[in-house]
Amino acid sequence: MVAETHDNSAVLGAIDSDSIARRHLLAGTAFLVLAGFLTLLQVLKGTFPGFLDGLSFWSYGRLRQMASVITVFGWLTPTLLGVAYYLVPRLTGAPLRLTRFAGLNLPFLAATVIAGTAAVGIGTGDGFELFPFPLWADLLLLIALAVPAVVISASLRDRSESAPSAPLLYVCAAVIWLPAIAAVSNLPGQDPVASSLLAAFTTSAIHYLWVGAAAIGIVLYLIPKLTGSALFSEQMARIGFWTLALAGGAAGYTRFTHGPAPDWLETVAIVLGLLLVIVAVTTFFNATGSARGHWESVQSSIPLRFALTGALLLPVPIVLSSVAGFRSVAAIVGLTSWWDGTSFFLLFGIGGWATAAFVYAVLPGLLGRDLYDQNLARRHLRLSLLGVTSTSVFLWLTGMIAGFTWAGGSYSGAFQNTGEGFFQTLTAVSPLWVFTLIGVLITFAGQLVHAYLVYS
């Protein structure tokens, strides 16, 4: 079982940290509804281009960026910071330090995300993927992300244990990595090629070093905690952690295989992408090994089922993104919606299931009341599982079909990939966008159920 300390200093620290964690979890849930709504608008706009026509604020390009920003920094970031603030006092034996700064930083982060997203909507963003804010908002966001890293770092210095447990290692490292990723995204003086490669790096780092690492930490904490068992293999978890630290960012260069990057960089990215499979495998076996012999608990515990869902399905996006980096595969799916499917699965799937598990397991105690109806919570799980998987599957299929039409038209000479010939591709993929829209609608329904359970 994950060790939790219960000395007086830790308990006193947990009181302050619990209040801060509660506010972060509640704020994250509110932003989740907005993230789902903007994502739905984005897919509606992609499926029916005439939707909201003539309103530049709701153009597809701006909607895409706004939805991504609200998803990552509006919903997932406050929620995962709440996870860190909750876990640190319990897993270190030390109180959370700088609690005043941690508490004040939440409204500052929320205001920055809202103002920066509005700036993107009116057309003053810089277009950088996942960090599209104008410079002033980027700098404010960097400050808002640096404060939690300082809080966690200061708190870890007082820990009673000699080495951090695996859940603490994943969650705290993710919080510390996050402002570093934001700082890298603002490196000045980049030409277009370097800027594209930098965007690939930071996007992959957000997916794996921030959301992925924190989600794995949640899984490794909750499953032993809820089953009353020991973590299956601490050593296996640490192998996964250091592999993730090595490959989580640079593996993103596989998105531009056959692009302007040097061949050696593409090869390195392919190898690192394959290494990420180790992370998925270690998490999979740690989760199933810790839950073995406790299947009755799995059947009765909603948080446990959410946590196991995330752990069992983590290999899916990692394997598919790794395979997509191979030169033969990238020739088909490169620069298509294939990568959107992977991103959707990682953020709304892996991130969504892990955070829902934590909210359902912890927030009732923080609020001092029953939080959810078991039947509605099960419905949330079914809706999110169906919605996320179907959306991602249809985005992957759309990417494959688009790639085959590009390659087929080019190789056969039947049509060109530009101008009027591009309608060949649009005709082939348009029906799939309708199914993608249905998947997003189902996902959004699950998010609304989740919000209702939290706030009712």
Side-chain angles (χ1 to χ4, degrees), residues 1-4 83 86-87 91 166-168 171 214-233 237 280-314 350 353-359 361-362:
M1 183 186 299
V2 177
E4 293 191 18
V83 171
Y86 179 89
L87 290 183
L91 298 182
L168 188 67
V171 171
I216 292 172
I218 291 172
V219 167
L220 296 182
Y221 170 78
L222 280 183
I223 293 179
K225 177 71 176 175
L226 296 176
T227 59
S229 64
L231 184 64
F232 179 69
S233 174
V281 171
T282 57
T283 304
F284 179 93
F285 282 108
N286 247 327
T288 55
S290 300
R292 185 178 298 123
H294 301 278
W295 300 118
E296 289 185 3
S297 299
V298 174
Q299 291 296 320
S300 61
S301 172
I302 297 298
L304 195 53
R305 292 172 69 177
F306 270 97
L308 275 171
T309 299
L312 297 180
L313 293 180
L314 179 60
I350 304 304
W353 295 321
T355 54
F358 191 85
V359 167
V362 168

Side-chain angles (χ1 to χ4, degrees), residues 155-197:
S155 303
L156 289 176
R157 288 201 298 267
D158 300 325
R159 70 179 188 271
S160 60
E161 55 185 4
S162 58
S165 62
L168 188 67
L169 186 63
Y170 275 95
V171 171
C172 292
V175 174
I176 294 169
W177 283 333
L178 181 57
I181 298 167
V184 169
S185 72
N186 286 291
L187 290 176
Q190 300 295 327
D191 60 54
V193 172
S195 180
S196 296
L197 294 177

Side-chain angles (χ1 to χ4, degrees), residues 86-169:
Y86 179 89
L87 290 183
V88 165
R90 289 166 169 79
L91 298 182
T92 63
L96 191 71
R97 298 298 182 185
L98 304 173
T99 52
R100 183 174 179 83
F101 289 101
L104 292 175
N105 190 60
L106 175 60
F108 178 67
L109 171 62
T112 298
V113 170
I114 292 172
T117 303
V120 171
I122 64 177
T124 60
D126 60 14
F128 194 90
E129 188 170 1
L130 287 186
F131 292 91
F133 292 168
L135 181 60
W136 61 267
D138 275 334
L139 294 178
L140 292 178
L141 180 63
L142 179 58
I143 294 171
L145 301 180
V147 169
V150 173
V151 171
I152 294 301
S153 298
S155 303
L156 289 176
R157 288 201 298 267
D158 300 325
R159 70 179 188 271
S160 60
E161 55 185 4
S162 58
S165 62
L168 188 67
L169 186 63

Side-chain angles (χ1 to χ4, degrees), residues 63 157 164 197 208 212 229 231 244 274 368 421 433:
L63 267 174
R157 288 201 298 267
L197 294 177
Y208 294 116
S229 64
L231 184 64
L244 183 65
L274 290 173
W433 275 105

Side-chain angles (χ1 to χ4, degrees), residues 245-270:
L246 172 66
Y253 294 134
T254 53
R255 293 177 58 191
F256 292 102
T257 302
H258 296 303
D263 288 344
W264 65 267
L265 184 59
E266 293 180 359
T267 302
V268 169
I270 292 170

